[in-house]
Amino acid sequence: MAQNAYRYQDLATALPEQPTTPSAKRVRTKKRYQAAVWTKRERGLVIFMATIVLLLMMGTVATTVTMQRVDAQNEQISQKVTNVKEENDSYRGDIQSKTNRDNLEKVAQSANMEQSTNNVRNVNQ
């Protein structure tokens, strides 16, 4: 610290003199900053990262479109499955009503047939 003492100045003498007249106007100057010069490595990294971000964005959009298409296909398939289940339920109801004992007797009477167990053999015997 002692070797730097000869460069020390009093704060009052270090400041430039400022005009004391009220008519003197201060002129404000805008500081213009110069852009820093990029090195080749920095440019390469920026281009590399921009390319990666672009690829990720495109991948995200492609994935979203594909997922929407798959969702639409799944919805169509689930609607078809629902329709088939409803048809199966209606067919089950038709089968139950047609194989009902009362319906079988009605059909047998209309064809002049009788229901008897005389001619039935037990296959397990």
Side-chain angles (χ1 to χ4, degrees):
M1 294 287 264
Q3 64 269 21
N4 294 332
Y6 68 92
R7 293 186 182 174
Y8 179 78
Q9 292 182 347
D10 188 17
L11 188 59
T13 60
L15 293 175
E17 291 186 29
Q18 297 185 7
T20 57
T21 61
S23 63
K25 293 183 180 178
R26 288 187 177 177
V27 178
R28 288 192 173 191
T29 58
K30 290 186 179 180
K31 292 183 181 178
R32 293 192 177 245
Y33 295 100
Q34 294 181 352
V37 179
W38 286 15
T39 63
K40 287 183 180 180
R41 183 175 182 173
E42 288 173 338
R43 285 185 192 149
L45 285 173
V46 168
I47 291 171
F48 177 72
M49 293 304 293
T51 305
I52 288 178
V53 168
L54 180 67
L55 290 175
L56 287 173
M57 288 170 46
M58 289 172 46
T60 302
V61 169
T63 303
T64 303
V65 169
T66 303
M67 290 301 294
Q68 288 175 349
R69 188 179 317 127
V70 167
D71 285 343
Q73 289 174 351
N74 285 343
E75 185 66 31
Q76 290 175 353
I77 290 172
S78 67
Q79 286 177 348
K80 288 180 182 178
V81 167
T82 303
N83 290 341
V84 168
K85 284 183 180 180
E86 289 175 0
E87 287 177 4
N88 285 345
D89 289 341
S90 69
Y91 290 150
R92 276 193 194 104
D94 290 344
I95 290 170
Q96 287 292 342
S97 65
K98 289 179 181 176
T99 57
N100 190 2
R101 185 171 181 94
D102 294 334
N103 188 37
L104 290 176
E105 288 179 4
K106 207 184 294 182
V107 170
Q109 284 179 357
S110 66
N112 294 327
M113 298 172 75
E114 291 181 359
Q115 186 176 14
S116 69
T117 60
N118 293 341
N119 295 331
V120 177
R121 269 191 320 173
N122 191 351
V123 178
N124 292 332
Q125 286 182 353

